[in-house]
Amino acid sequence: MDVAALTFLALSLPFVAALVAPVLTRVLGHNAAWLLALAPVAIFVHFLGFVPEIAAGEVVTGGYAWIPSFNVSFSWLIDGLSLTFALLISGIGTLIVLYSGGYLKGHPHQGRFLSFILMFMGSMQGLVLSDSFLMLFVFWELTSITSFLLIGFDHGREAARRAALQALVVTGGGGLSLLAGLLILWNVSGITQFSLLLSFGTELRESPFYLAALLLVLGGAFTKSAQFPFHFWLPNAMEAPTPVSAYLHSATMVKAGVYLLMRLNPVLGDTPEWQFLLPLFGAATLVSGAALAVRQTDLKLMLAYTTMASLGLLVLLTGLGSPHAVEAAALYLVAHALFKGALFMVAGIIDHETGSRDLTRLGGLRSAMPLTFAVALAAALSMGGLPPFFGFLAKEEIYEALSNFDRRSMVFAGLTVLGNALMFAVAFAIALKPFLGPKVETPRHAHEAPVLLWLGPAILALMGLSVALMSGLAHRVISSPMSSAIAGEPRTVVVSLVPHIGVPLVLSAVTLLVGVVFYLNLDRLRAVMALILADIGWGPDRGFDQFIRGLLRLAVAITRRLQSGRLDVYMTVAFVLIAIVLLATPVRYGELPRAPFFAADVPAHELAIMAIAVAGLFAVVLAADRLTAIVSLGIQGFAIAVIFLLYGAPDLSFTQFMIETLSVVVLALVMTRLRLSPSDHRPLRQKLPDSMIALACGLGFGLFLLRATGAPFDATLTDFYNLYSKSIAHGANVVNVIIVDFRGTDTLGEIAVVMITGLAILSLVRLRAGSLKRGADRSAAEERV
C-alpha cells in the first residue's frame, strides 16, 4: 500500500474505531480500551515515519480530487507544524483512551464515550493535516460537534447540557466566521490549498480585503482557542468527564485556533494589524486566565483557567512574530501539551480515588498516593518553568523573545511575567497542597490508582523530562521543523538547559520569586480576586445567557409576526411578492412587451374560444355559490384544451380535457362533503385588496408570457428532442418521450403531489365525517337523558 493510501487510512482509522467501540465495550468491558488504543498507536507510528523526511526540511502533500470542478480536494499537508500536532494528538490520544478505560470503568455508557472520544480524535487529526480549505472547515466543525457530545456526555445534568450548548454556539459561530475568511482568501488568491497559499503572502497582505479576511479568521481562531472575551465556554466545559478535559486542553480542540494562526502566520502575519491584535488579545487572555485560576478551588477549574492563560501566551507569541517568539511558541505548545495533559489526569485520579477535587478539602495524600504525587510534582515543575523539564526551555525562549528594551516589549514582558508567576502558583498548589500537610478525610478511602489511570500522566511527565534532557534531538526532529513551518522560512532552535544570561535570566528569577510569593499567599490572593469579581459583577458568561434569552425573545417576536398560522395571510404575502417581482422588474429595466397583444390575422373561431375563456372567468367571479364557481372554473381549462387542439397538439389537448374534468369533479365532491359556506361572505374591504392582488398577478404573468413569446425562438431544445427521442428513448411521440423520459423525475414529482393531495382530501373528508358522527351521537345521548 502506498503512502497516500496509508495516510488516508490513518485519517479514517479513528472513525472506524469509533464504530466498533460500543460493541467491544459490551464484550470486553473497560478492557476494550486496550484494543481501541491500538488505533491511535497505529496512527502515531505511521506519522512517526515522516519524521526523518520532515526534519530534513521536506514537505509532504497528497490527497484525492473531491470536487474537481471547484478545485476542491481531500488533501493533506505534512510539515513540521502539522506533524507535531499529529504526533501529539495520536500519542496523547492513546493515553487518553487507556485512561478512559480506567476512569469510566463500570459506567453504563462507557462504549458510547469511547466512540465519542475517538471521533473527536479523528476530527482534530483531520483538521491539523488538512491542506484543502473545505476539508479544514469540515473537520473544524466536526471538532465542535464531537466536543458538544463529550461535554454534554452526562446529559442528565442541566449544567452539562448548558456547557455543551454554550461551547457549540460559541465555536460554531466562530466556524462560520472562519468559513467567510477562507472564502475571502480563496477569492483574493484563487487558491484553495494551504501548501499553495504560502507563496501568496505579499498579495494577500497588500489586498484591500486583507483586514476583512484577518478579522474573520481571528473570529474563528479566538472562539476556538478561548481568547478573551470568548473564553467563558472553556471553564464551563469542565462539566465533561476528566478524560475529555485532559484531551481537550492538552492536544485537541482549544489548540485548533492556535494551529490556524500558526499555519497562516506566513501569509497573514508581519503586518501592523497582526502584530497589534494578536499580542493585545493574547496578553489580555494570559493575565485574565491566570488571575481567574487563583480564584478557584476546584482542581479542574484551576487547570482550565491556566489553559486559557497558556493559549493567550501562545497567541501573543505568534503575534509578535520575531524569530525567538516563533521558536518560543513552538516549544511552549509542546511543553504545555505534556504537562497539562498530565496534570488534568492527576486531577482526575484525585477525584476518582478520593471523591473530591476541592483543593480546600484535600491534604496528606502523599503516603496513600505516592506515584500520583511524583507525577504531579514533575508536571508542575515543567509548568512552572523549572529545570530540567521541557517547560524550562520554553520559558527561557519566551523571555529571550521579550528581552528587547523598547516600550512594547517591556509591557508584554511585564504581563508575561505576571501571568507565568500566577500559573507557577497554581501549578504547585495542585501538585503540593493535596499531598502535603495533615491527612484530611475524604468521601472515599484514598489509595493509588490502577494502571490504566496512572500510566498516561506518568508517561507524559516522563516525556517532559526526557525531551528536555535530549533537547538537541528534540529540536532537530520537532522544534526546528515546527518553527520553520510557522515562520515560513528555515529556523534552527538551539535553546538548552543552560540558562540565557542577561535579561531572560532576570525575568526568570523574577517569575520564580513572584510565583513563590503568590503560592505562599494563595488564600489571600483568592479572597482578593473574589472581591474584585464581586465588584465587577457582570461577565461574559452571564452575557452569553442574556444574549441567548434576547435571541429567543427576538425569534418568538419575529415568528409571531411573520408566522401567524393563517393560510390566507401566507397566500396574500406570497402573491404580493409575486406581483412585485413580475411587474416591478420589467418596468425597472424596460422589458415590457413591445409587440401588439394580438396579431391582426387571428381567425374568428380562435377569438371566439378566447372570448369563451374570458366569459368563464366572469362566471367564476360572479358565481352565487362555491359549487357554481368550481364548475365554471372548468371553462378556462376546456377553452385552453380547444386551443391546443386547433394548434395541432391533440394529445396535449386530450390531457388537458382529462385534467380539467377530473379537477372539477374532485373539487365538487370535496366541497359538497366538507359543507363549507356556499358563497364568499367577506366584506368589500377584504375583497377589494384581494381583487387588486389577483389582477396584479394576472397582469404580471400575462406581460411575462407576452415578453417571452415575443423573443426570437430558440430551436436548440426542440432540435435536441426531435433528434434523440427516437434514437435514445425509442419513442415516436416526442411529447410523451419528454414527459416520461427526459422529464421523468419531474413527472414523478407531479404524481407524488397528486397522491399527497388525494390523501389530504381523504383525511379532511374522514375528519368531517367523524366530527358529524360524534355530533350525532352526542345529540342522541342528550335526547336519551
Side-chain angles (χ1 to χ4, degrees), residues 317 324-325 327-328 331-332 384-387 389-403 420 495-509 511:
L317 294 170
H324 286 293
E327 295 166 12
L331 293 169
Y332 189 73
L386 297 177
F389 290 87
F390 200 63
F392 172 76
L393 275 66
K395 184 199 66 177
E396 287 295 296
E397 199 67 9
I398 290 171
Y399 289 147
E400 180 68 23
L402 296 170
S403 60
N420 281 338
V495 62
S496 67
L497 289 173
V498 178
H500 290 300
I501 305 299
V503 176
L505 184 59
V506 173
L507 295 177
S508 294
T511 300

Side-chain angles (χ1 to χ4, degrees), residues 10 414 418 533:
L418 176 61
L533 292 175

Side-chain angles (χ1 to χ4, degrees), residues 234 249 254 302-312 336 340 344:
L234 184 58
H249 287 251
V254 295
M302 294 172 72
L303 290 171
Y305 278 111
T306 58
T307 296
M308 169 186 163
S310 297
L311 294 170
H336 178 266
K340 189 54 65 73
F344 259 110

Side-chain angles (χ1 to χ4, degrees), residues 487-717:
E489 59 186 22
R491 293 284 170 83
T492 302
V493 180
V494 295
V495 62
S496 67
L497 289 173
V498 178
H500 290 300
I501 305 299
V503 176
L505 184 59
V506 173
L507 295 177
S508 294
V510 172
T511 300
L512 178 61
L513 179 62
V514 176
V516 171
V517 173
F518 284 160
Y519 172 78
L520 296 176
N521 296 275
L522 191 62
D523 293 337
R524 188 177 302 173
L525 194 60
R526 185 181 301 119
V528 171
M529 281 303 304
L531 290 175
I532 293 174
L533 292 175
D535 290 339
I536 293 174
W538 186 91
D541 188 39
R542 186 182 302 175
F544 174 83
D545 291 335
Q546 294 170 344
F547 170 77
I548 294 297
R549 285 196 295 269
L551 187 64
L552 290 175
R553 290 195 188 101
L554 178 63
V556 170
I558 292 175
T559 302
R560 285 177 177 171
R561 180 64 61 88
L562 300 180
Q563 303 290 334
S564 61
R566 293 182 54 182
L567 183 60
D568 59 331
V569 174
Y570 298 156
M571 293 182 65
T572 300
V573 172
F575 281 112
V576 166
L577 291 176
I578 290 172
I580 291 173
V581 171
L582 291 173
L583 293 175
T585 304
V587 171
R588 169 67 179 81
Y589 294 100
E591 292 295 329
L592 291 172
R594 297 178 179 84
F597 281 7
F598 296 103
D601 57 348
V602 178
H605 60 278
E606 292 183 10
L607 291 175
I609 297 299
M610 294 177 186
I612 293 173
V614 174
L617 175 64
F618 282 100
V620 173
V621 174
L622 301 176
D625 55 71
R626 296 184 188 274
L627 189 58
T628 304
I630 291 171
V631 174
S632 302
L633 190 63
I635 297 175
Q636 287 80 23
F638 289 134
I640 293 172
V642 172
I643 292 175
F644 287 156
L645 183 64
L646 294 175
Y647 277 84
D651 49 354
L652 195 57
S653 175
F654 175 75
T655 303
Q656 182 71 21
F657 274 121
M658 296 299 295
I659 289 174
E660 287 300 326
T661 303
L662 184 62
S663 299
V664 171
V665 171
V666 170
L667 284 173
L669 289 174
V670 172
M671 296 299 288
T672 54
R673 285 296 191 94
L674 292 179
R675 297 185 181 180
L676 301 175
S677 56
S679 61
D680 189 354
H681 295 292
R682 291 178 300 166
L684 182 62
R685 68 176 182 274
Q686 294 182 7
K687 289 183 178 179
L688 190 58
D690 291 346
S691 301
M692 298 301 295
I693 294 172
L695 289 173
C697 288
L699 177 62
F701 276 113
L703 294 175
F704 174 75
L705 292 173
L706 286 171
R707 186 69 178 87
T709 54
F713 181 70
D714 186 355
T716 304
L717 196 59

